[in-house]
């Protein structure tokens, strides 16, 4: 256990100096170690400098390896340059073989240099060598193709050599010591001198290959550059290498090269003294070989100098570090011995102070010296006695708090100074605690009142999900007593379809996650359902979950009613068939009320009922409830069936009926028996019976055929006009209950909630029902008008064909007979008879066209396909037909409508749109006919601007179809018709 000492400073006490806050042992260590540590630090810094110098020398030596490899590449490239120029000037087997061998040597040197450069941490050398490799490949390709002259080849290789020498010079730039710097300068100078000699050799070889009469004068620029670099070499190299250079210059090849240089410097050199091409290459090659030997010696001297510098730096660094560690170790041992001899008497006092700080009052200090440590020990013993008295007072105060004796106070008079102030503060704390305790009890009472009076459901659960406490709102909402709620698990009260979700939510709460907006269904004591929306927050450290719930049953119910109303209104707005709208209303009523059956009935003028839409039938009770609505003009209930009136324009139009499901058996009350603790079995409860009369037979099954005859009190009368499609079969009904009477009687008492909800929903959908009914009547009226018009057209067409047209044909035959009796056809009488015959023939043809326009005979005989082909043949503009019609004949109304649509579109395309081509597509897909007419005319057609398109719209909608027109100006016209193959019902 550590011990810390907090120093309490008064207003006038200054902060203690730094040295007075250090332990005695630490002070002794500082006294001995500070000067020695400073000395060792200086030595260590020197050693670090030596190691840094060694690392620099190591890097310099690695750079030299790469530089030497690069120099080797430079030598190989120089040789390849000479061989390439020779092969270009005088190509033969020997020169071409020498060029190939020099290229291979260059590639080997370049590969070795690249491997060396990859080990060098700087990527610049590797990049330069890659560039050299690419340049060499380009020069070789151009030289091999003969695209370069000898001078151009020399120039290309010169650029490569410049890159290599720059790279080598850059690698030798870092010179850690003076000796290494001089050696590097000498190496760079000899490299530059050799390169100058190589360039001179190539340039003079090209010059000497030129015919004598055309040899240009050449300046000695390379000899001057070589001499400058050799002077720098002599200045920086050793005496041995200077002597070797002097010897190479005065040998036979050196003297021969100097003679050629003197000849070039002469402004008018004699032709006879020009050297031969072969002689110059031999002398210059021998001289350059001597210079390269000196270059190799210079590289070895540079490498030896760098290695010696590196070894010396490493030795100095190791020596300095060893000395520093030895001195530091000796001084540390001496300081440790001195500190131990001084600090041992302090240990006992320190241990006692630590024990007192930790609350251990049994520890005693036995040291009794007469020095400063002895005074500290006496003071510690006095402090121990005072601390024991103070601890006794604190224990008495704690006992009073535990026993709820908040009026207890400490006797402050037994202490002096700071101790008295401390105990006085404790008395004040006790008084404040007593006041806070009173306020807390008041707040708890207020919170209890809020918990009990809240309209929302508040509860506390365990981590296992069981109720620990519930407020009265739970009893009011669910109907269970408090004991039942606390005895049963909440999941048991949840609707069986929501139990898995509820268990998952409880697992999340047990894991520490919060819950917000979670909704599930609970089953009330009476068997009905209610929706609760939960928010909960777990407190894991207490093992509890605090939750609040709100009854959102009515809100969800209202939302479902609005959704159902929107769906019905959408069907009406989309122009759905009336039977589909009425069926949708019945289905929505069944879903909203959870009914077994539901239906929409219309009251007829003779007092009968017409079924317009059902969901699983109607039922005798539903019929009785609808008749009660007709009698009372208000919602009614008969048995389990309820009905609500539908009013249209202030008059009773019909009713919506629904038969509710049988109420489920109430949940058992698991309140344990106070004596045995067992949960008793609930007593069976029977269904509430109607006021009088038995529960009726299962719902009636409406027949798909119209029913004739008088309507009895419990029978339904179908619509007086035929209805397309069978009425859906009702779902299986529960068996009838025992009955004591054979008639239905109205249930007395207040209207149940289902009847009120049905009345509210019926009032909302009344407008949709009225619109659907009006649309049905309008469609039926329009169909009857179109059918009457088509019948009139057929009658007129038959009258024209059987009457007037036949008389005209007879007159034509008589006239032709009279014309044949004329002796001279060229006479006036003959010409007059021929003229009259021609007029009769034209009148007969015109009458035939009129009859076809009224009602084409080919449509009645051949069907829609041949009629459309006939229209296409008679049209003045080309018509492209694409027909995919069934083999069987389509309904007559559908064929007539499609024929007149195509006829009107062709007429408009010719007269108004001035189209060049018209396309007609007619396809039967499933139970729908899709007809499309397109033209490439002027466009701009609008249905409201002419009676022709308006008539087409009426005709198509009369057969239950839909017509869409798209005619942008200048982009042609497209008319699409979609119509059912069977057609809509007439009623």
């Amino acid at each position: 256990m550590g011990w810390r000492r907090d120093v309490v400073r008064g207003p006038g006490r200054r902060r203690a100096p730094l040295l007075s806050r250090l332990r005695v042992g630490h002070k002794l260590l500082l006294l001995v170690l500070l000067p020695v540590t400073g000395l060792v630090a200086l030595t260590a810094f020197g050693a670090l400098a030596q190691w840094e110098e060694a690392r620099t020398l190591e890097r310099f030596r690695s750079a030299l390896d790469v530089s030497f490899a690069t120099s080797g590449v430079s030598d190989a490239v120089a040789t390849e340059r000479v061989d390439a120029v020779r092969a270009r000037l005088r190509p033969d087997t020997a020169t071409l073989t020498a060029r190939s061998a020099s290229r291979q040597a260059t590639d080997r040197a370049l590969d070795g240099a690249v491997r060396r450069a990859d080990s060098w941490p700087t990527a610049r050398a590797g990049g330069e060598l890659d560039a050299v490799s690419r340049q060499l490949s380009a020069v070789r390709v151009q030289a091999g193709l003969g695209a370069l002259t000898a001078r151009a080849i020399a120039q290309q290789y010169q650029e490569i050599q410049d890159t290599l020498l720059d790279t080598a010079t850059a690698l030798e730039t870092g010179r850690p010591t003076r000796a290494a710097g001089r050696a590097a300068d000498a190496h760079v100078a000899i490299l530059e001198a050799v390169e100058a000699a190589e360039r001179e050799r190539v340039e003079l070889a090209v010059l000497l290959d030129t015919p004598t009469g055309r040899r240009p004068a050449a300046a000695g620029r390379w000899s001057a550059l070589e001499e400058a670099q050799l002077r720098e070499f002599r200045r920086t190299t050793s005496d041995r290498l200077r002597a070797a250079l002097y010897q190479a210059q005065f040998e036979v090849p050196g003297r021969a090269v100097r003679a050629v240089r003197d000849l070039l410097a002469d402004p008018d050199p004699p032709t006879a003294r020009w050297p031969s091409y072969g002689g110059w290459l031999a002398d210059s090659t021998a001289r350059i070989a001597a210079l390269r030997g000196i270059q190799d010696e210079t590289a070895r001297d540079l490498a030896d100098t760098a290695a010696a510098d590196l070894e010396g730096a490493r030795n100095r660094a190791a020596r300095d570090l060893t000395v520093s560690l030895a001195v530091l170790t000796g001084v540390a041992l001496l300081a440790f011995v001195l500190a131990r001899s001084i600090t041992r008497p302090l240990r006992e006092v320190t241990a006692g102070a630590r024990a007192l700080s930790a609350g251990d009052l049994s520890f005693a200090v036995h040291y009794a010296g007469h020095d400063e440590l002895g005074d500290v020990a006496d003071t510690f013993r006095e402090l121990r006695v005072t601390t024991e008295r103070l601890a006794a007072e604190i224990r008495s105060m704690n006992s009073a708090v535990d026993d709820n004796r908040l009026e207890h106070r400490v006797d402050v008079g037994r202490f002096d100074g700071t101790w008295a102030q401390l105990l006085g503060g404790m008395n004040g704390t006790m008084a404040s605690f007593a006041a806070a305790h009173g306020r807390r009890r008041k707040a708890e009472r207020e919170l209890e009142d809020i918990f009990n009076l809240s309209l929302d459901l508040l509860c506390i659960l365990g981590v296992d999900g069981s109720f620990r406490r519930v407020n009265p709102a739970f009893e009011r909402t669910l109907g269970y007593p408090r004991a039942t709620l606390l005895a049963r698990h909440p999941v048991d009260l949840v609707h069986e379809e929501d139990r898995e979700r509820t268990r998952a939510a409880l697992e999340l709460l047990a894991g520490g996650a919060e819950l917000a907006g979670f909704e599930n269904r609970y089953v009330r004591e009476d068997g009905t359902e209610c929706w609760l929306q939960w928010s909960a927050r777990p407190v894991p450290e207490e093992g509890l979950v605090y939750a609040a719930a709100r009854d959102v049953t009515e809100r969800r119910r209202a939302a479902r009613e609005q959704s159902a109303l929107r769906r019905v209104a959408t069907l009406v707005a989309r122009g759905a068939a009336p039977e589909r709208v009425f069926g949708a209303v019945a289905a929505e009523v069944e879903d909203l009320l959870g009914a077994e059956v539901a239906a929409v009935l219309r009251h007829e003028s003779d007092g009968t009922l017409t079924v317009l839409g059902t969901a699983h039938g109607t039922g005798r009770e539903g019929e009785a409830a609808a008749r009660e609505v007709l009698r009372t003009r208000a919602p009614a209930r008969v048995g389990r069936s309820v009905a609500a009136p539908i009013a249209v324009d202030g008059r009773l139009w019909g009713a919506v009926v629904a038969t509710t499901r049988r109420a489920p058996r109430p949940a058992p009350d698991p309140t344990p028996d106070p004596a045995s603790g067992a949960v008793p079995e609930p007593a069976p409860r029977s269904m509430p019976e109607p006021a009088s009369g038995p529960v009726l037979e299962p719902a009636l099954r409406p027949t798909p055929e119209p029913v004739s005859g008088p309507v009895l009190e419990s029978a339904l009368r179908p619509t007086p006009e035929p209805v397309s499609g069978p009425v859906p079969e009702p779902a299986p009904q529960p068996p009838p209950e025992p009955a004591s009477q054979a008639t239905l009687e109205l249930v007395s008492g207040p209207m149940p909630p289902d009847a009120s909800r049905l009345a509210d929903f019926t009032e909302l959908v009344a407008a949709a029902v009225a619109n659907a009914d009006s649309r049905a009547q309008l469609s039926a009226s329009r169909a009857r008008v179109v059918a009457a018009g088509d019948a009139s057209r057929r009658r007129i067409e038959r009258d024209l064909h059987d009457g007037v047209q036949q008389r005209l044909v007879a007159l034509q035959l008589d006239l032709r007979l009279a014309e044949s009796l004329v002796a001279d056809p060229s006479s006036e009488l003959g010409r007059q008879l021929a003229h009259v015959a021609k007029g009769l023939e034209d009148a007969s043809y015109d009458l035939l066209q009129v009859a076809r326009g009224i009602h084409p005979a080919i449509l009645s005989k051949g069907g829609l396909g041949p009629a459309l082909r006939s229209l296409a043949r008679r049209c003045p503009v080309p018509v492209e037909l694409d027909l995919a019609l069934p083999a069987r004949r389509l309904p007559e109304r559908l064929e007539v409508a499609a024929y007149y649509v195509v006829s009107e579109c062709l007429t408009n395309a010719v007269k108004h749109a001035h189209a060049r081509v018209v396309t007609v597509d007619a396809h039967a897909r499933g139970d729908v006919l899709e007809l499309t007419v397109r033209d490439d005319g002027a466009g701009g057609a609008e249905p409201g601007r002419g009676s022709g398109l308006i008539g087409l719209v009426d005709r198509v909608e009369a057969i239950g179809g839909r017509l869409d027109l798209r005619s942008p100006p200048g982009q042609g016209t497209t008319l699409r018709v979609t119509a059912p193959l069977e057609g809509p019902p007439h009623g």
Side-chain angles (χ1 to χ4, degrees):
M1 181 183 297
W3 176 64
R4 53 174 294 191
R5 177 175 57 192
D6 296 332
V7 180
V8 181
R9 302 178 180 86
R13 186 171 180 178
R14 299 187 337 186
R15 183 179 180 86
L18 176 62
L19 293 179
S20 63
R21 286 180 283 164
L22 296 177
R23 294 175 177 269
V24 175
H26 294 167
K27 293 178 181 179
L28 291 175
L29 289 175
L30 288 176
L31 180 63
V32 176
L33 293 179
L34 278 179
V36 177
T37 303
L39 178 61
V40 172
L42 293 176
T43 307
F45 287 148
L48 290 176
Q50 294 293 337
W51 282 108
E52 183 63 29
E53 181 182 357
R55 284 196 296 270
T56 302
L57 288 169
E58 180 67 26
R59 289 193 296 269
F60 180 67
R61 190 175 68 174
S62 299
L64 288 181
D65 293 339
V66 181
S67 176
F68 294 158
T70 305
S71 301
V73 176
S74 177
D75 296 342
V77 170
T79 303
E80 181 180 343
R81 175 175 56 187
V82 173
D83 292 338
V85 171
R86 290 175 59 196
R88 181 68 177 87
L89 294 175
R90 298 182 180 182
D92 54 22
T93 303
T95 56
L96 293 177
T97 302
R99 184 183 65 178
S100 177
S102 61
R103 286 182 178 180
Q104 294 177 1
T106 302
D107 291 339
R108 289 193 297 271
L110 186 60
D111 292 340
V114 169
R115 287 193 297 272
R116 289 289 184 89
D118 290 340
S119 63
W120 178 245
T122 303
R124 178 184 175 185
E128 295 290 345
L129 292 175
D130 289 339
V132 167
S133 177
R134 290 192 295 271
Q135 290 176 345
L136 276 174
S137 299
V139 173
R140 289 170 179 176
V141 170
Q142 292 177 351
L145 296 175
L148 299 176
T149 63
R151 290 185 181 277
I153 293 174
Q155 182 64 31
Q156 295 286 342
Y157 277 101
Q158 179 178 336
E159 294 177 0
I160 296 173
Q161 284 289 76
D162 290 340
T163 301
L164 292 173
L165 292 177
D166 291 342
T167 302
T169 303
L171 290 171
E172 297 179 12
T173 301
R175 297 155 183 192
T177 62
R178 183 175 181 182
R182 288 180 61 84
D185 291 339
H187 184 250
V188 171
I190 193 64
L191 286 177
E192 295 288 349
V194 171
E195 175 58 20
E198 289 281 2
R199 293 177 181 179
E200 182 185 29
R201 175 170 63 163
V202 172
E203 184 172 336
L204 286 180
V206 175
L207 178 65
L208 294 174
D209 186 66
T210 306
T212 306
R214 293 183 295 168
R215 287 179 181 176
R221 50 174 179 164
W222 300 121
S223 60
L225 177 59
E226 175 189 340
E227 187 60 32
Q229 294 297 332
L230 289 178
R231 283 197 301 271
E232 177 65 19
F233 175 74
R234 294 188 194 95
R235 187 182 64 82
T236 56
T237 190
S238 61
D239 295 338
R240 179 176 61 84
L241 293 179
R242 277 195 291 269
L245 176 62
Y246 181 81
Q247 181 181 355
Q249 287 179 332
F250 286 96
E251 288 179 349
V252 174
R255 292 196 302 271
V257 169
R258 182 171 298 176
V260 174
R261 289 176 179 174
D262 294 339
L263 184 62
L264 290 175
D266 190 353
D268 188 15
T271 305
R273 296 178 57 188
W274 279 102
S276 66
Y277 171 80
W280 165 252
L281 287 179
D283 294 337
S284 60
T285 300
R287 181 176 179 274
I288 290 174
L291 293 177
R292 290 197 185 279
I294 298 173
Q295 172 187 329
D296 294 339
E297 290 294 332
T298 305
R300 281 192 290 273
D301 286 352
L302 176 58
D304 294 341
T305 302
D309 291 341
L310 176 60
E311 185 65 24
R314 287 177 177 175
N315 292 336
R316 289 192 300 273
R319 180 192 60 204
D320 294 345
L321 185 59
T322 302
V323 172
S324 300
L325 291 177
V327 173
L328 182 60
T329 301
V331 174
L333 290 175
L334 178 61
F336 177 76
V337 173
L338 292 175
R340 183 176 177 83
S341 64
I342 296 175
T343 57
R344 180 174 294 178
L346 295 175
R347 291 180 180 176
E348 187 176 4
V349 177
T350 303
R354 290 177 178 175
L356 181 62
S357 175
D360 183 10
L361 303 181
S362 62
F363 188 87
V365 177
H366 302 287
Y367 182 74
H370 298 286
D371 53 1
E372 290 81 358
L373 293 177
D375 297 338
V376 172
D378 294 339
T379 304
F380 173 77
R381 284 188 282 270
E382 294 176 1
L383 178 61
R384 175 189 169 191
V385 174
T386 304
T387 305
E388 288 178 348
R389 293 169 53 203
L390 182 63
E393 293 294 340
I394 293 175
R395 284 194 292 270
S396 65
M397 182 71 75
N398 292 336
S399 299
V401 172
D402 294 339
D403 298 338
N404 202 20
R405 294 182 289 106
L406 302 181
E407 70 281 357
H408 177 77
R409 301 293 183 271
V410 178
D411 185 7
V412 182
R414 297 175 54 192
F415 295 89
D416 298 325
T418 304
W419 302 120
Q421 296 177 5
L422 176 62
L423 294 177
M426 291 180 63
N427 287 336
T429 302
M430 178 65 82
S432 300
F433 181 75
H437 185 68
R439 291 192 297 272
R440 176 184 176 184
R441 292 181 63 84
K442 180 180 179 182
E444 290 176 350
R445 288 193 298 270
E446 294 175 351
L447 183 60
E448 183 71 18
D449 293 340
I450 294 175
F451 184 81
N452 293 327
L453 296 176
S454 173
L455 297 178
D456 290 335
L457 288 73
L458 305 178
C459 65
I460 302 175
L461 302 94
V463 292
D464 58 347
S466 60
F467 286 121
R468 299 293 179 86
R469 188 179 179 187
V470 295
N471 69 336
F474 267 90
E475 302 179 55
R476 293 191 299 268
T477 302
L478 301 180
Y480 298 103
R482 183 189 301 270
T484 301
L485 293 172
L486 297 179
R488 299 183 64 179
H489 197 276
V491 178
D492 298 337
L493 306 177
V494 175
H495 192 281
E496 61 182 7
E497 295 180 1
D498 295 344
R499 288 181 180 176
E500 290 300 325
R501 295 192 305 110
T502 304
R503 290 191 182 97
L506 291 176
E507 291 177 359
L508 289 176
L509 290 172
E514 295 187 6
L515 195 67
F518 175 76
E519 296 184 2
N520 59 357
R521 287 172 290 179
Y522 274 70
V523 180
R524 296 189 180 96
E525 187 187 25
D526 58 1
T528 59
E529 300 175 1
C530 69
W531 281 90
L532 299 183
Q533 186 182 61
W534 291 88
S535 296
R537 175 177 296 174
V539 183
E541 58 271 14
E542 298 181 4
L544 298 175
V545 177
Y546 296 90
R550 178 170 296 175
D551 188 355
V552 295
T553 306
E554 292 302 324
R555 187 192 70 187
R556 291 179 64 92
R557 184 176 299 163
R560 290 182 60 195
E561 291 178 357
Q562 291 298 322
S563 298
L565 182 61
R566 281 196 299 271
R567 289 191 289 270
V568 173
T570 301
L571 284 177
V572 175
R574 290 178 177 175
E579 61 271 15
R580 184 180 176 189
V581 175
F582 296 136
V585 171
E588 296 294 350
V589 169
E590 180 193 35
D591 181 64
L592 286 175
L593 301 183
E596 290 182 355
V597 295
V600 178
L601 308 177
R602 183 174 64 196
H603 293 294
E604 303 298 344
S605 59
D606 58 356
T608 60
L609 299 173
T610 301
V611 180
L612 300 181
T614 66
H616 303 94
T618 56
R620 296 178 60 193
E621 291 182 353
E623 175 208 359
R627 293 187 180 281
E628 185 63 23
V629 168
L630 178 61
R631 185 182 66 83
T632 61
R633 300 295 196 271
R637 174 188 175 191
V638 175
R640 292 185 294 113
S641 296
V642 293
I646 301 176
V648 177
D649 296 334
R651 63 180 180 85
L652 183 62
W653 180 87
V656 177
V657 299
T659 301
T660 60
R661 292 186 175 91
R662 299 179 183 275
R665 187 179 300 277
D669 184 2
T671 305
D673 184 81
S676 61
V679 178
E681 292 294 333
R685 302 184 182 184
S686 59
M687 284 292 299
E689 298 294 339
S692 62
V695 177
L696 298 180
E697 295 291 329
L700 296 178
R701 300 174 182 265
T703 63
E705 303 281 324
V707 179
S708 60
V711 181
L712 301 179
E713 292 182 356
S714 61
L716 295 178
R717 177 179 178 182
T719 175
E721 297 182 5
V723 179
S724 175
V727 180
E729 291 292 332
Q733 303 296 323
E737 297 183 358
S740 59
Q741 297 182 4
T743 59
L744 295 173
E745 294 185 9
L746 186 65
V747 177
S748 60
M751 192 63 60
D754 286 346
S756 176
R757 290 173 54 199
L758 180 61
D760 294 340
F761 183 74
T762 303
E763 183 178 356
L764 292 175
V765 301
V769 171
N771 290 338
D773 184 62
S774 300
R775 186 180 182 88
Q777 295 179 11
L778 177 61
S779 298
S781 174
R782 181 183 290 171
R784 288 192 294 271
V785 171
V786 172
D790 291 341
S792 298
R793 286 172 177 267
R794 286 193 298 272
R795 185 175 62 254
I796 294 172
E797 190 270 338
R798 284 195 301 270
D799 292 344
L800 290 175
H801 182 273
D802 298 340
V804 178
Q805 188 176 1
Q806 297 301 324
R807 292 181 61 187
L808 288 175
V809 171
L811 288 174
Q812 279 184 288
L813 294 175
D814 293 342
L815 189 60
R816 292 298 181 186
L817 179 60
E819 188 179 1
S820 66
L821 297 177
V822 176
D824 185 9
S826 61
S827 63
E828 182 65 25
L829 177 60
R831 290 195 301 272
Q832 190 66 28
L833 288 176
H835 176 72
V836 173
K838 182 65 170 62
L840 281 175
E841 184 179 356
D842 293 342
S844 178
Y845 179 78
D846 292 341
L847 183 62
L848 177 62
Q849 296 300 319
V850 170
R852 286 179 177 176
I854 294 174
H855 189 82
I858 192 173
L859 180 63
S860 301
K861 296 178 181 179
L864 182 59
L868 294 181
R869 295 187 185 95
S870 177
L871 278 177
R873 287 194 298 270
R874 297 199 308 269
C875 184
V877 299
V879 178
E880 298 178 358
L881 288 178
D882 183 8
L883 306 180
L885 301 175
R888 60 182 178 85
R889 289 287 300 271
L890 300 177
E892 182 182 2
R893 290 187 303 159
L894 181 58
E895 289 185 340
V896 172
Y899 178 84
Y900 283 116
V901 167
V902 175
S903 178
E904 182 69 22
C905 289
L906 293 180
T907 302
N908 291 338
V910 174
K911 294 174 59 178
H912 305 295
H914 306 292
R916 293 187 299 273
V917 66
V918 181
T919 303
V920 178
D921 298 334
H923 298 271
R925 292 187 175 91
D927 57 350
V928 175
L929 174 65
E930 296 181 359
L931 179 64
T932 304
V933 182
R934 303 184 185 86
D935 65 58
D936 58 352
E942 296 181 6
R945 294 173 56 183
S947 60
L949 291 177
I950 296 176
L952 293 183
V953 173
D954 293 340
R955 180 176 290 275
V956 170
E957 291 184 352
I959 62 173
R962 181 184 181 90
L963 185 145
D964 294 324
L965 178 66
R966 185 173 63 86
S967 182
Q971 299 181 21
T973 301
T974 300
L975 185 141
R976 290 186 177 89
V977 173
T978 304
L981 292 179
E982 298 302 329
H986 290 284

